[in-house]
Amino acid sequence: MLYGPVGAGKSSFINSVESALRGEITDRAKTDAIGGKSYTTKYKAYKIKKGDTGTHYPFVFNDVMGLEKDEGVCVEDIKLAIKGHVKNGYNFNPRSSLSEDNQHYNRDPSLNDRVHVLVCVIPGSIAGLQDDSVRKLREVRLAARDMGIPEFAILTRIDETCPEVNKDIRNVYKSKYLKKKIEEVSGRMGFPQNCIFPVKNYHSEINIHDDTDTLILSALTGMIESGEDFVNDL
Ligand SMILES: Nc1nc2c(ncn2[C@@H]2O[C@H](COP(=O)(O)OP(=O)(O)O)[C@@H](O)[C@H]2O)c(=O)[nH]1
Ligand SMILES: [Mg+2]
């Protein structure tokens, strides 16, 4: 499950993974170039087709509404979603959390309904994150920790954050600026530095690039391996 502030690049990350795996740019998860309010309001699961085989890759992304200060999804709803109580298609209400009598409330979640990996999507410009949002993100993180769910952060929009990376994405692990950003995310949110993946999403490209794919797929690999460990250990 992906969560994070609006405009962080959650939907773009899902599209980027699909693009990298399919070998061509796709944009199934709707993104929004005009920031501010959350564009994604429904709890939606995304599966990715494996070529023309009629099968899917064995993982599912869930994209949730942004976590803005007053308008964003309730932290309580994210906790319910983690436990598998929120059914696909539920329309998040910023003012009240999902109640047990709602038709989208799943009373008896199976292992498949639960979240196996929690991914916080943070825009490279984290300095612009308000303390209130950071508090909400941290609250989700601590809830996941209490439930023993593996957690990652992806630091998106790194091309906008660092001119060196914008010039050549292969500079990602040479950039002093990004190193400082990762330390900052780690310090503010509490993620260990090796759980923070820098990623540039496909956002305006027409073709895919190996170097962009590399970052997207190494983040994905980390998530899948941890998710598998989590499920196997249950
Ligand atoms: N330059 C750049 N733009 C990005 C990146 N990721 C997302 N965007 C853009 O940021 C905007 C918001 O992205 P979106 O995926 O809708 O964010 P969401 O609200 O978290 O789902 C869109 O216009 C994207 O094209 C990135 O890595 N680099
Ligand atoms: Mg979105």
Side-chain angles (χ1 to χ4, degrees):
M1 181 167 93
L2 305 171
Y3 72 105
V6 63
K10 297 179 288 295
S11 305
S12 301
F13 182 67
I14 297 174
N15 291 333
S16 297
V17 168
E18 177 159 32
S19 302
L21 291 175
R22 290 175 62 148
E24 60 183 8
I25 300 290
T26 64
D27 62 344
R28 214 157 41 104
K30 290 291 163 244
T31 59
D32 184 21
I34 302 165
K37 267 199 177 176
S38 233
Y39 187 77
T40 311
T41 55
K42 273 199 171 126
Y43 192 49
K44 189 163 160 55
Y46 290 90
K47 286 184 183 176
I48 296 176
K49 275 209 193 95
K50 229 177 189 176
D52 294 326
T53 58
T55 57
H56 292 89
Y57 285 97
F59 58 84
V60 177
F61 282 116
N62 274 294
D63 184 9
V64 296
M65 191 177 172
L67 271 172
E68 313 73 329
K69 221 169 82 194
D70 303 314
E71 309 253 1
V73 57
C74 305
V75 172
E76 202 44 46
D77 276 348
I78 296 205
K79 293 184 193 169
L80 287 175
I82 291 173
K83 293 179 188 151
H85 289 300
V86 181
K87 286 190 190 165
N88 197 24
Y90 174 63
N91 229 323
F92 287 108
N93 180 350
R95 274 163 290 280
S96 71
S97 71
L98 177 63
S99 61
E100 286 189 27
D101 51 13
N102 191 298
Q103 55 163 352
H104 282 102
Y105 188 92
N106 180 356
R107 283 171 187 279
D108 190 19
S110 69
L111 179 58
N112 263 347
D113 298 323
R114 288 170 55 183
V115 168
H116 303 157
V117 183
L118 194 65
V119 180
C120 184
V121 183
I122 305 170
S125 56
I126 182 166
L129 269 189
Q130 292 157 331
D131 282 346
D132 245 30
S133 307
V134 172
R135 210 187 52 227
K136 260 183 149 179
L137 297 176
R138 235 185 104 68
E139 212 181 306
V140 173
R141 193 180 121 58
L142 294 177
R145 189 198 58 190
D146 293 344
M147 294 181 237
I149 295 168
E151 292 175 86
F152 291 98
I154 53 177
L155 190 67
T156 56
R157 312 185 72 144
I158 55 174
D159 52 316
E160 293 175 323
T161 318
C162 175
E164 292 305 312
V165 173
N166 193 23
K167 220 181 330 168
D168 184 350
I169 188 134
R170 278 174 294 185
N171 286 331
V172 62
Y173 285 109
K174 290 184 205 150
S175 160
K176 290 204 176 90
Y177 192 78
L178 270 189
K179 183 171 186 296
K180 262 179 61 188
K181 275 281 158 218
I182 290 177
E183 285 166 3
E184 187 187 341
V185 172
S186 175
R188 279 186 83 182
M189 321 261 309
F191 291 101
Q193 286 185 35
N194 61 357
C195 292
I196 304 171
F197 290 101
V199 161
K200 185 189 96 115
N201 286 320
Y202 288 115
H203 60 100
S204 63
E205 294 76 357
I206 295 167
N207 297 308
I208 58 159
H209 300 281
D210 284 352
D211 300 327
T212 308
D213 280 358
T214 301
L215 293 176
I216 293 164
L217 294 177
S218 53
L220 181 69
T221 307
M223 292 167 199
I224 288 178
E225 284 174 353
S226 293
E228 206 159 84
D229 288 347
F230 173 71
V231 172
N232 289 338
D233 288 348
L234 282 176

